[in-house]
Amino acid sequence: MKAHHILIPTDFSEQSISVLKLANSFVEDLGSTIDLMHVVPVTKYFAESFAHIGYPYDLEKELYPKALNVAHKKLESLAKKYIKKEHRGKMITIIERSPSNAITHQANSGKYDLILMSAKGEHATEFLRGSVTEKVIRHSEIPVLSMDEPFDEKGLKDIMVPLDLSEVSFQSLPIAVQLAQMYNAKLTLFHSVELYAADVEMIPLYPPFDNVEAVRQSLLNKVEDFLAKRKDLNFKFVRDEKEDTFSIDGTFDGKAFSIEVIPEISKGFSANRDIVEYANEHADLIIMSTHGHTGLTRLFLGSTTEQVAQHIHVPLLTVRPSKVKETKK
């Protein structure tokens, strides 16, 4: 996984600071440079109210500069405590009405490879997936790794990759393979058949809904086809039909690897509920595309990925497929 330049937003809450502990693993494994960022929120109502009552401070000339200075010193203190000197990047402080807009703008324009952030912030609500973190996931053009609390690297044994059989959903697979190789984990390729949610757009994409084995084989064939097309990855899907076992083999940084692959098919009422229930019980990390069936109404983002992000209790790494554009809401 390419993560040479990482952006970590923090609101200085215990939850958001805790992810800095995970950053050390990326530094050691990938030689990353880490920029820390804090957004000083501002509201028009707050500024106008101060002006109306004749408050003796000018927000722009006095309070905001002081707030930025305090925030910068806090970032420097966190960097010294959690990040080795040779891996420290910029300490970024900014005043912005919308923290999520500030974070995504910085990430999308700063040549970063990854945003690493807490799912919850101060009071467990400010960064809750569904508000700031969810909006960052929605609008970020680079992968976003969000979590309630840092995962234990030694306990990272099962990486779950939800796939809807569309080409764009498979774009999360290369990163999943690389992380599985890095942490010696297996990959669970998860597909949910929504029994009562199928529409005419989906019919050509699926084998018969009542045949789980046909769906399973279709998923495996899609994996094989995807990796065969991506010759740049140097990954190969390996089947042992006799033993009914599967793996993804290849080389990464000159080292050969073989990753166990487990296909998991679920039949239920909604994909997001199936993914959440399986992830919370079995997975140590979930990696998924922010979009599904491209060009159709069934986008992961705004439906499946959004719902999963709000309800899972395990770390979530979202990957935005290439050539996907979305109007901000």
Side-chain angles (χ1 to χ4, degrees), residues 161-215:
V161 185
L163 300 167
D164 67 1
L165 301 186
S166 67
E167 186 74 16
V168 289
S169 73
F170 278 81
Q171 291 192 34
S172 61
L173 188 57
I175 289 180
V177 171
Q178 293 174 26
L179 286 177
Q181 182 270 338
M182 183 184 300
Y183 294 108
N184 194 29
K186 68 178 179 180
L187 288 180
T188 296
L189 306 184
F190 187 92
H191 177 72
S192 174
V193 178
E194 295 179 284
L195 299 179
Y196 300 102
D199 53 41
V200 292
E201 293 174 335
M202 297 174 62
I203 291 175
L205 299 174
Y206 286 89
F209 284 95
D210 59 348
N211 190 332
V212 173
E213 180 56 29
V215 176

Side-chain angles (χ1 to χ4, degrees), residues 1 3 15 17 21 24 49 58 86 94 98 133 158 175 196 272 285 307:
M1 177 182 179
Q15 292 90 342
I17 292 174
K21 300 174 183 177
N24 287 323
S49 296
D58 185 300
E86 59 268 28
I94 188 172
S98 169
T133 302
D158 193 335
I175 289 180
Y196 300 102
N272 59 276
L285 170 67
Q307 292 297 317

Side-chain angles (χ1 to χ4, degrees), residues 251-320:
T251 58
F252 186 68
D253 285 343
K255 298 180 180 179
F257 66 82
S258 181
I259 297 169
E260 179 183 7
V261 172
I262 307 295
E264 184 71 31
I265 308 299
S266 172
K267 296 171 68 174
F269 294 101
S270 68
N272 59 276
R273 180 177 296 180
D274 292 345
I275 293 169
V276 168
E277 289 181 353
Y278 186 91
N280 286 338
E281 184 174 352
H282 301 287
D284 302 307
L285 170 67
I286 181 171
I287 302 176
M288 64 190 301
S289 170
T290 56
H291 290 69
H293 297 293
T294 183
L296 305 178
T297 60
R298 298 185 59 82
L299 293 179
F300 263 8
L301 189 61
S303 56
T304 302
T305 300
E306 182 176 329
Q307 292 297 317
V308 169
Q310 291 175 358
H311 296 99
I312 62 168
H313 303 305
V314 297
L316 170 67
L317 175 60
T318 55
V319 180
R320 190 180 189 87

